Amino acid sequence: MNQSNQIYPWLKKYLNLINQERLSHAYLISGRDGLGKKILAELIAKKILCKQASSDNCECQSCRLFDSSNHPDFHLIEKEEKKKQISINQIRACFGYLFETSFLHGNRLFLIYPAEIMSPEAADSALKILEEPPKNSYFILVSHRPKQLPPTIRSRCSEIKVSLPSQEHIVNWLQKETVNDKELHLALSLSKGRPLKATNLISQSVEELRKIFIKDISRIIKQGDNIIKVSENWAKDLESLITKLEWMGDLLRDALRHHFFKELKNTTTDTDHISTYLGNKVEDQTLFLLLEETNKVWSWFSNGTNLRADYQLQSLFITWNSELAISS
């Protein structure tokens, strides 16, 4: 809740949809990651819990407690450290508050983030509450992949779909994050219109990171003699590792675009020479296989895993090199 006073310009219209006089008992905030959906959810939660139903800069007791991350009637449910899912015990523990008197004698708010990683048992437990919610209890589910949620849960929520902001919105906002125009436009291109993803790339020194990625992946594809060294180097930093794995997936998607649509132009410019070559020379089934394997490894490290990164990368790189068969 430490960002509850912020509102990104592209989110204002969604916050304005919430009217305390006509609240739904549950909201599903959906859209791609990197758009600030969790921050939007927190701002909506603050608005629902507000004692004065006022707009900006309210200083009621509820809003002060929310801003200090100490609101007793706000409950955030997210996966615990080293866990892959939100468990049924987490849902049961938080929903135990439903049948007690709220601390501030007002509304209660339960935020589940991200909702699609609830275990099947946790989702079933959440559904029972959503079917017959107690008075003055409200729920916000945030999801990057709403289609992975059970239809029964989705049907009981009012959905707020957060779309990609306009390019103008993003550029104006990103100019506050960097004065380097080249870095700005590179981050904008690689983030695919997701502002917070773009700022994350800028914080990782995206120009240098991208150069290293292109050099490493080109040599793995062509020669395959640097796999152990690259695996060890990439494994040193989890954040940049996840970014590079995402770029590997993007490279394969671009190759598939070149394979099926010869005149396509909306591919990533700085790796177009690689993706064009792969699209023309490699069978589509091979590209799909590699994309599936790459996404699997990306998912492991994005969601937290105890697997050794260097070993998993070595295996993935060997598969890339052998399947693409360029070095042979």
Side-chain angles (χ1 to χ4, degrees):
M1 291 185 290
N2 58 346
Q3 301 185 65
S4 57
N5 284 322
Q6 295 186 22
I7 177 67
Y8 297 127
W10 61 90
L11 296 179
K12 289 180 181 178
K13 61 182 179 181
Y14 304 108
L15 183 61
N16 291 337
L17 295 174
I18 306 302
N19 185 327
Q20 275 205 344
E21 301 300 319
R22 297 189 302 275
L23 290 175
S24 296
H25 77 277
Y27 293 94
L28 170 60
I29 301 177
S30 63
R32 298 191 63 187
D33 65 312
L35 298 177
K37 296 190 303 299
K38 186 180 180 185
I39 293 170
L40 174 62
E42 291 175 348
L43 290 164
I44 291 174
K46 179 181 177 182
K47 193 169 184 176
I48 290 174
L49 292 169
C50 178
K51 285 287 191 177
Q52 298 182 8
S54 57
S55 54
D56 300 331
N57 303 316
C58 177
E59 294 187 0
C60 72
Q61 181 188 20
S62 175
C63 290
R64 292 199 308 273
L65 286 169
F66 197 96
D67 289 342
S68 64
S69 301
N70 288 312
H71 201 296
D73 296 318
F74 173 79
H75 305 279
L76 173 62
I77 307 170
E78 54 187 349
K79 76 179 180 71
E80 297 169 334
E81 189 176 356
K82 296 183 179 180
K83 300 290 185 180
K84 293 183 179 180
Q85 294 181 311
I86 293 172
S87 70
I88 187 173
N89 290 333
Q90 289 179 269
I91 299 294
R92 285 174 174 169
C94 282
F95 284 0
Y97 293 105
L98 282 168
F99 304 102
E100 299 176 1
T101 303
S102 64
F103 284 89
L104 298 187
H105 304 286
N107 295 330
R108 302 180 194 84
L109 197 296
F110 299 84
L111 171 56
I112 303 176
Y113 176 84
E116 67 266 18
I117 67 167
M118 285 188 289
S119 70
E121 297 79 13
D124 287 343
S125 181
L127 176 61
K128 291 176 183 177
I129 300 297
L130 292 175
E131 287 174 337
E132 296 183 26
K135 186 179 180 182
N136 297 328
S137 295
Y138 297 91
F139 308 87
I140 302 177
L141 285 66
V142 178
S143 178
H144 309 312
R145 297 178 290 276
K147 290 184 180 179
Q148 292 184 9
L149 288 169
T152 46
I153 285 183
R154 293 181 63 183
S155 68
R156 284 162 176 78
C157 300
S158 295
E159 188 168 2
I160 299 174
K161 297 180 181 181
V162 180
S163 57
L164 295 175
S166 68
Q167 183 127 328
E168 181 183 4
H169 252 142
I170 303 174
V171 170
N172 290 340
W173 187 71
L174 284 179
Q175 284 173 339
K176 301 175 184 177
E177 304 295 316
T178 179
V179 295
N180 184 332
D181 281 345
K182 184 178 178 182
E183 183 178 60
L184 185 154
H185 289 290
L186 179 59
L188 182 62
S189 171
L190 295 172
S191 66
K192 305 178 189 68
R194 298 170 290 167
L196 302 188
K197 178 65 177 177
T199 60
N200 177 264
L201 290 173
I202 290 170
S203 73
Q204 294 182 63
S205 302
V206 63
E207 282 188 88
E208 184 61 27
L209 190 68
R210 189 68 177 171
K211 287 178 184 176
I212 293 171
F213 167 77
I214 293 173
K215 178 182 177 182
D216 287 344
I217 206 67
S218 297
R219 190 167 166 188
I220 284 170
I221 292 172
K222 293 178 181 177
Q223 298 169 273
D225 60 350
N226 62 332
I227 286 175
I228 293 177
K229 182 179 179 181
V230 172
S231 300
E232 291 173 348
N233 287 338
W234 284 25
K236 291 176 182 177
D237 180 66
L238 180 61
E239 184 177 35
S240 63
L241 165 60
I242 293 170
T243 297
K244 290 172 183 175
L245 285 168
E246 183 176 333
W247 287 345
M248 288 176 72
D250 290 341
L251 183 61
L252 292 169
R253 291 185 190 91
D254 281 352
L256 284 164
R257 292 185 181 102
H258 285 299
H259 183 89
F260 290 109
F261 308 102
K262 302 299 182 184
E263 301 301 321
L264 196 67
K265 296 181 180 179
N266 61 337
T267 51
T268 309
T269 306
D270 60 0
T271 52
D272 222 24
H273 60 295
I274 305 174
S275 60
T276 301
Y277 183 86
L278 296 179
N280 291 333
K281 298 293 183 180
V282 181
E283 293 290 331
D284 60 302
Q285 289 183 339
T286 300
L287 295 172
F288 279 121
L289 169 67
L290 290 176
L291 181 57
E292 182 179 357
E293 289 299 309
T294 303
N295 285 343
K296 181 171 67 176
V297 178
W298 173 85
S299 180
W300 285 341
F301 292 102
S302 294
N303 295 321
T305 178
N306 294 324
L307 297 171
R308 278 192 56 167
D310 55 342
Y311 286 178
Q312 300 307 316
L313 284 170
Q314 285 177 36
S315 177
L316 180 62
F317 290 155
I318 289 170
T319 302
W320 268 57
N321 180 259
S322 62
E323 290 294 335
L324 296 175
I326 294 174
S327 62
S328 61

